[in-house]
Amino acid sequence: MRTKKSMINMAAGFFGQLLNLILAVAGRSILARYMPSEYLGINGLFSNVLSILSLADLGIGAAMMYALYSPVARENREEIRRLMNLYRLLYRWVAVAVAVLGLALLPFLDLLVRTDRPIDHMVLIYLLYLSQSVTSYLFVYKAALIEAHQNQYICSMYANFFTLVRYGGQIAVLLLTRNFFLYLLVQILCGLLPNILASRRAERMYPYLREDRRSYPDRETAREIFRNVRALFIHKAAGMMVYSVDSILISALVSLGTAGIYSNYKLICTNVGGVVDRLYDAVSASIGNLVATEGDEDRRHRVFSMLSFSAFLLYSACAVAMLVLFEPFILLCFGGDYLLPRRTVLLLLAQFYITGMRTVIQKFRGAMGLFWYDRYKALAEVAVNLVLSLILARRFGLDGILAATVLDLLLIPFWVDPLVLFRYGWRERRGQRLAGYFLRYLLWTGGMLLAGWGTERVCRLAGGPGFWNLAAKGLTCAVLYGGMLLVLFGWTPECRDLLAYVGSFVRRTRPRAGKV
């Protein structure tokens, strides 16, 4: 049942995010063609500013999800109801905090935006982005219970439908009116409606949520939740400062136009990564269930190793594909004025790969509740990233800011994340398993560099402009890179386990003879 739900959630999340990627790029292309490039920069800048404001969340979502895994596995409705009441109360406070913090930033907007061309009604545009961020906290908490029951595909269906409506509506608005305010209103409504529908669905699926809205968890449970929230706040602050601050620094230290060009590449990386992330988001609840019910550490470690290898396959393949396809894709969709130098693209893809390789560790850490032990690591990440960004940006501009993020990832989380997971998440053979993890990571990365170099060299031969050139390069990249990885790693236990896992699922879902 755990495997079946994971695969259903994976399919819904994967195709939904793929749809989001296609429509986001189409919408971005229309925005670039019909609006000045500064509006691309504004879109990326304000989105990242409000991502930082979402620190008011304090990590509540992840802490509450961890708290739900055990009572959901035991079907303890009383405890679930108490936790959800606390969840609702905390997220109302978060919505108020985001609104207050967002309004407090209004006097400083001119300091964040560096442009030679003034943007009309910038304050109103910012307030529309802020309203979207505030309203997102009002209904979304109930979706967590659906996800904790390993039914994430339900929320994905609502999100996928309104993704289609959103981008279709935004493209229509740009083509017919070129009105940026209507563009944002469509975005706000299509972000709010799926949360409302998921909230109502949760109430129908779990009617006991309405029985008692005033009871809360006992003191000991609440203390543990708030302890995890404090640790997760530091982690979230670090993540936002490391990943969301880049656009702000580019806008403030380089130019808003450069931030707009960079945001096209970042949009593609974020959405491609999001397609893969959805696969692992889909198994988060299953990992939580595995940790809560499975006492065999060897089995847990085999699952961890298999998922880590799958993450390597997916994130490395995406990185190599983007290296090959970025230039023809940007030329096709946006034009030559929106191209970044090759060295900048390599830095962006290095960041993408290193970040992606952390995904499985973070999923297991969340399932095991290991939020407290590496909280100070997050503060070091922020300090190192900001100092390096400010130093390197003066000399290297955009490349310096991206290089600072890559160096920060290699200097701190690359080492600390696995150390914490293996020290506190396993009781037996921790040192051996940790050494094995680093060895596999280095071998996999070496294989990616070798196979990626060969693939990129061959794909250069498929020259020429247009869609068919893009398709030819994409097909060549997929076949060649996939074949090289199969030769390099097809013999490993992780690859065999992954193939066996996929094969067993296919056999279980294949219709039996005589049945439809």
Side-chain angles (χ1 to χ4, degrees), residues 49-266:
V49 167
L50 294 171
S51 292
I52 292 176
L53 287 184
S54 69
L55 287 174
D57 178 310
L58 296 172
I60 292 168
M64 293 303 300
M65 182 63 75
Y66 168 69
L68 283 168
Y69 284 143
S70 180
V72 164
R74 294 182 282 106
E75 285 295 330
N76 188 331
R77 295 186 175 184
E78 177 66 24
E79 188 175 352
I80 291 171
R81 186 169 60 247
R82 291 174 182 271
L83 288 169
M84 294 301 292
N85 289 341
L86 177 61
Y87 205 171
R88 181 187 70 248
L89 178 63
L90 293 177
Y91 259 24
R92 286 179 179 175
W93 291 351
V94 168
V96 173
V98 170
V100 171
L101 291 172
L103 292 173
L105 282 179
L106 276 175
F108 306 101
L109 287 184
D110 290 339
L111 298 177
L112 296 175
V113 178
R114 181 179 176 183
T115 178
D116 296 328
R117 183 187 304 181
I119 304 294
D120 295 332
H121 309 295
M122 187 183 301
V123 172
L124 179 56
I125 292 173
Y126 173 76
L127 289 175
L128 287 173
Y129 276 99
L130 178 61
S131 67
Q132 179 184 6
S133 183
V134 171
T135 55
S136 68
Y137 291 103
L138 298 180
F139 301 97
V140 71
Y141 72 95
K142 289 182 182 176
L145 185 57
I146 297 176
E147 295 175 12
H149 279 89
Q150 304 177 59
N151 293 316
Q152 190 179 20
Y153 70 92
I154 295 173
C155 302
S156 295
M157 288 191 298
Y158 292 132
N160 296 345
F161 174 76
F162 282 100
T163 293
L164 182 62
V165 173
R166 171 193 165 181
Y167 286 111
Q170 287 182 317
I171 290 172
V173 165
L174 289 175
L175 292 175
L176 296 175
T177 70
R178 303 189 186 184
N179 188 310
F180 195 65
F181 297 105
L182 290 177
Y183 176 93
L184 292 180
L185 286 174
V186 172
Q187 182 170 302
I188 292 168
L189 288 174
C190 291
L192 181 62
L193 288 173
N195 290 340
I196 294 175
L197 292 176
S199 176
R200 292 182 175 178
R201 181 67 176 271
E203 289 182 346
R204 292 196 300 270
M205 293 174 67
Y206 315 109
Y208 56 85
L209 291 177
R210 297 192 293 265
E211 293 176 5
D212 181 4
R213 294 180 177 270
R214 295 185 178 181
S215 60
Y216 297 99
D218 59 71
R219 186 183 298 272
E220 182 178 349
T221 302
R223 186 183 297 115
E224 178 66 19
I225 290 172
F226 285 115
R227 180 176 182 265
N228 287 333
V229 165
R230 291 198 303 274
L232 280 164
F233 169 72
I234 301 175
H235 286 290
K236 189 168 184 180
M240 291 299 176
M241 292 299 290
V242 170
Y243 300 117
S244 297
V245 81
D246 281 358
S247 292
I248 299 173
L249 290 174
I250 293 166
S251 175
L253 301 178
V254 185
S255 73
L256 187 62
T258 301
I261 295 172
Y262 163 77
S263 67
N264 288 332
Y265 285 80
K266 189 65 175 176

Side-chain angles (χ1 to χ4, degrees), residues 270-316:
T270 299
N271 280 278
V272 169
V275 171
V276 183
D277 289 345
R278 286 294 180 271
L279 301 178
Y280 296 98
D281 289 343
V283 301
S284 291
S286 297
I287 293 173
N289 183 268
L290 173 71
V291 171
T293 60
E294 181 64 66
D296 186 348
E297 287 198 351
D298 288 335
R299 166 153 175 75
R300 275 196 277 168
H301 185 258
R302 285 188 67 179
V303 172
F304 170 79
S305 298
M306 179 190 69
L307 290 176
S308 296
F309 180 70
S310 71
F312 159 71
L313 292 179
L314 293 170
Y315 285 105
S316 70

Side-chain angles (χ1 to χ4, degrees), residues 321 324-325 455 459 468-482:
V324 170
L325 300 176
T455 300
C459 287
W468 294 112
N469 168 56
L470 186 70
K473 283 190 173 183
L475 181 61
T476 303
C477 179
V479 172
L480 186 58
Y481 185 74

